[in-house]
Amino acid sequence: MKNKNFFFYLLFFFLISYFYLNFRMTSYVIDIRREIFYLRFFRYFLCIFTGIVLTTSGSVMQVIFNNPLVDPYVLGISGGALFGFTLSSIFFRGNLFVSLLFSFIFSILASLISLSFSLSLKGEKKITVLLSGLLTNILFSSLVILLSIVSKNNSTSLFYSMMGSLNYPFIRTNLNFYLFVGFFLILSIFLILIKSKELDMISINEEIAKTSGVDVKKNFYILLLVVIFQTSIIVSFTGVIGFVGMIIPNIIKISGQTKNREIFFNSIIIGAALVLLADFISKYSFQYEIPIGVVLSLFSLPLLFLIVKINFENL
Amino acid sequence: MIKINNLKFSYVGNKDFIEIEKFSIDGNGIYSVIGENGSGKTTFFKLICNIIDFKTGEILLFNKNIKKIKDLSRMISYIPQNIYLHHDFPVRDFIKLGRYSRMDLWGNLNSFDEKELDDLLDSLGISHLKNKTCYSLSGGELQLVQLARAIYQGGKILVMDEPFSNIDHKHRKTIVKIIRELKKEKLILISTHDLGISFNISDHLICLKNGRIVEMGDADTISLKLDFIFEAKIEFLKIDGLFYFKEGE
Amino acid sequence: MKLKNINIFLILFFYISVFSQRIVSLAPNVTETLFYLSYGDKIVGRTSYCDFPPEVKNIKIVGSFIEFNFEDILSVKPDIVFFSNNLTPKAKTFLEEEKIRYFDVKMENITQVVEGMREITKILDKDFDSTKIDTIVKRIDNIKKQNDSLKILVEVSQQPFIVATEESYIGSILSRMGFILPKIGYNEKPYVTFSFENVLSFKPDIIIFMHGYKKSKNKYSILPGYKKIKFIFLDHQQIDVFSRPGPRILESIDLLEDLLL
């Protein structure tokens, strides 16, 4: 039963990949097809990495916070990363490495702010985490807007970076750097995969996890750091894309998967496929591109409502 | 096996909640902790299992400081008061998690451990549950599964917080039977509100009151001081070495 | 900074005259200019906002004003891409990567319109006969003037409250006509956010609305000389003309002279 589902998802993924890479290709003149294919191929990988990172980091955070309604966006981590990225693109003229570093530093800062907010609030933890995330998000998004107004250079692309866009110009001379970043992303995903048994234990019962030899606190910080790392990289490439990381793991859980390793494998495939689909829609549904965040939010709103409803009934 | 010296613990912002000057138990057997609600039974257990951290005093297991033991999970296993899981999980995989410390990177155990697991399930009589998921089990079945996980984890000490609450008569009997079998090779710490069970199965009784150990001893000794411990009149009969407590008027 | 870049490119490409250039225009006013200078048949890509002249309909859309579809831009195989003040860092990286020449032609006030046109002709064809540009220059020189030094306020949008300054397209024409426009700060931006306190101290004699929201007139009723103020509402097409600094400058000057003199 479970394997059947997985193969269905895999089929879905390959189907979308095929369409994504080949759509309208024949309508282009032959001598530029190669150029366009390069462009598309890079964007295709960006989509896949975005999908994988968003969903895995979402499901990791849902476990370590014991809250099905969190993801890097909700907690304000993405907002901090975007602020760091904007800051570096103003002061360092978009140097790739510096921008990654800045977005990493500021997303750590954002998560610290968000965590300390939520720790200082008394009340139902599930809600205080969301509230403090909201505050952090407001803080950083207004800082981003302020920065782009002051610098006035970036104000046009601000809208797209706040709603997310995968329209990232690929530079061939930077290929090694992309591969380097991709390697680290794969490494971090691998780390999350091998941490799935710890996540299982933490998600079941923290006390049992502790007495079985899982260092809950250490794992919390390690995994949070990995999530922040992944998210900050993806945000500096695509801008802020919200809610995917929250919705997909929840859907997989509703569909009956309970072990974290299975949740990860499924959400990697579905996340990649869904981001590809959303990017496809955002690319071709109008004569010009619309931000992918808009597409995803619109389509996922009913699901989001459903998930919030289910989770607040259990609260 | 368990020794406590000058242990003091309080939750944030409160007065000292647990205060134990000297405490020591040794040898296999069943040790029941009794006391009123709020007397600190659960906190006491959590301290022994190193789930919550304390500042003053020390707890020694096998003469080693609990904070310095690296593989504590191989010495002590714990069943929490709330046996229900936050997330659904397959039964067999859940029991398997007991041997977390022996798992490889991908969470797999070697074939010897796997076989041991199946044998254990057989001997506990719950092998028919192994393909179900935890949410589909009854309270009694789930408690058995928790017990199986704790046994599978191994270790000489087994700590069970309220194992008999919310469990029907049939499963109670099964669990008591298993515990009686286990006490030959383990030190078992149990807390329970059911005086009948605790007096009849325990080798030793530990009485907690306001976070302090007020009495320790076997069932006969403690039975004479019950009124003092609970500050209420508790009547019981003793027939053929079994205690029967009178409940209700 | 941008202007410097353009100069470097100008030096580099000045002597290269390519006759069958494929042009992508990513700004509506540039599209209009290219058509006016009869380069229209060379345009192979435009934005979704480019809707004048009507011939543009057959040209492929490759983006909106701020976000461009890189695949589509590549697919029309352009030699030159024109922007007008909307060159994003992303687009810059992309075009440099693909080795496509691009120019960010600044065309905001009337002087820049003429300069921009000259620049475009230089880029595309150095032997261009400049009669068409001369017509515009002549018309600008012959703008009728009024001598009352009236104060004029051009309300670009109501919420947020934005007005045009002398640096803007419409403002530069109006100031040539002898009107006084509001001024804020040192570094002049074409459009600035305004507060009602600014309005009170500015005391406009004429107010032009560059948006369709007629009720925004009401807020000026607390001005001392409200009854004497002349209110002018532009229709949709006129707003289009005034928001695109380009060859329709002839039309806009005529229009403003009709409306105000």
Side-chain angles (χ1 to χ4, degrees), chain A residues 144-155:
Chain A
V144 167
I145 292 169
L146 184 72
L147 262 188
S148 6
I149 288 172
V150 170
S151 78
K152 87 181 173 182
N153 230 357
N154 263 340
S155 53

Side-chain angles (χ1 to χ4, degrees), chain C residues 227-246:
Chain C
K227 294 240 166 93
K228 282 189 223 155
I229 296 174
K230 190 177 174 189
F231 291 99
I232 297 168
F233 294 97
L234 300 178
D235 65 28
H236 182 69
Q237 215 165 358
Q238 289 167 333
I239 293 169
D240 253 12
V241 172
F242 285 120
S243 54
R244 288 179 193 178

Side-chain angles (χ1 to χ4, degrees), chain A residues 129-182:
Chain A
V129 165
L130 298 183
L131 277 179
S132 57
L134 182 72
L135 292 178
T136 319
N137 256 332
I138 292 171
L139 171 71
F140 279 103
S141 56
S142 40
L143 281 178
V144 167
I145 292 169
L146 184 72
L147 262 188
S148 6
I149 288 172
V150 170
S151 78
K152 87 181 173 182
N153 230 357
N154 263 340
S155 53
T156 43
S157 46
L158 164 78
F159 178 62
Y160 278 82
S161 60
M162 285 188 86
M163 286 312 286
S165 163
L166 287 157
N167 200 4
Y168 185 88
F170 167 61
I171 303 168
R172 275 184 202 88
T173 46
N174 283 351
L175 185 65
N176 284 335
F177 186 75
Y178 296 138
L179 290 176
F180 181 71
V181 170

Side-chain angles (χ1 to χ4, degrees), chain C residues 75-110:
Chain C
S75 74
V76 295
K77 294 202 288 178
D79 300 306
I80 298 172
V81 178
F82 281 113
F83 296 87
S84 180
N85 253 343
N86 60 338
L87 176 61
T88 58
K90 253 192 203 176
K92 198 176 157 190
T93 335
F94 166 74
L95 292 171
E96 278 169 11
E97 174 64 22
E98 297 297 333
K99 300 195 176 61
I100 298 169
R101 294 161 72 198
Y102 62 90
F103 298 92
D104 191 1
V105 185
K106 209 171 180 183
M107 289 171 94
E108 192 56 64
N109 53 41
I110 37 175

Side-chain angles (χ1 to χ4, degrees), chain B residues 137-171:
Chain B
L137 303 182
S138 71
E141 287 171 332
L142 187 56
Q143 185 63 267
L144 273 173
V145 168
Q146 287 272 12
L147 185 60
R149 189 199 60 79
I151 295 169
Y152 189 58
Q153 190 179 330
K156 288 284 279 177
I157 303 168
L158 171 61
V159 180
M160 301 168 85
D161 199 354
E162 299 274 2
F164 300 112
S165 54
N166 299 321
I167 284 169
D168 60 37
H169 188 68
K170 188 185 117 199
H171 284 101

Side-chain angles (χ1 to χ4, degrees), chain C residues 49-68:
Chain C
Y49 293 101
C50 302
D51 51 7
F52 187 86
E55 293 97 292
V56 296
K57 265 180 198 145
N58 303 322
I59 300 169
K60 186 170 178 173
I61 293 176
V62 295
S64 68
F65 192 64
I66 51 167
E67 186 76 5
F68 316 109

Side-chain angles (χ1 to χ4, degrees), chain C residues 127-163:
Chain C
D127 300 324
F128 184 75
D129 101 276
S130 57
T131 45
K132 278 183 176 170
I133 298 177
D134 291 341
T135 332
I136 289 176
V137 174
K138 223 176 263 170
R139 183 70 189 89
I140 290 172
D141 289 339
N142 292 331
I143 289 177
K144 283 183 209 156
K145 293 208 166 126
Q146 55 91 34
N147 301 317
D148 303 337
S149 69
L150 290 170
K151 288 175 182 172
I152 195 160
L153 191 73
V154 184
E155 187 180 314
V156 178
S157 88
Q158 138 102 347
Q159 191 61 263
F161 188 23
I162 291 176
V163 301

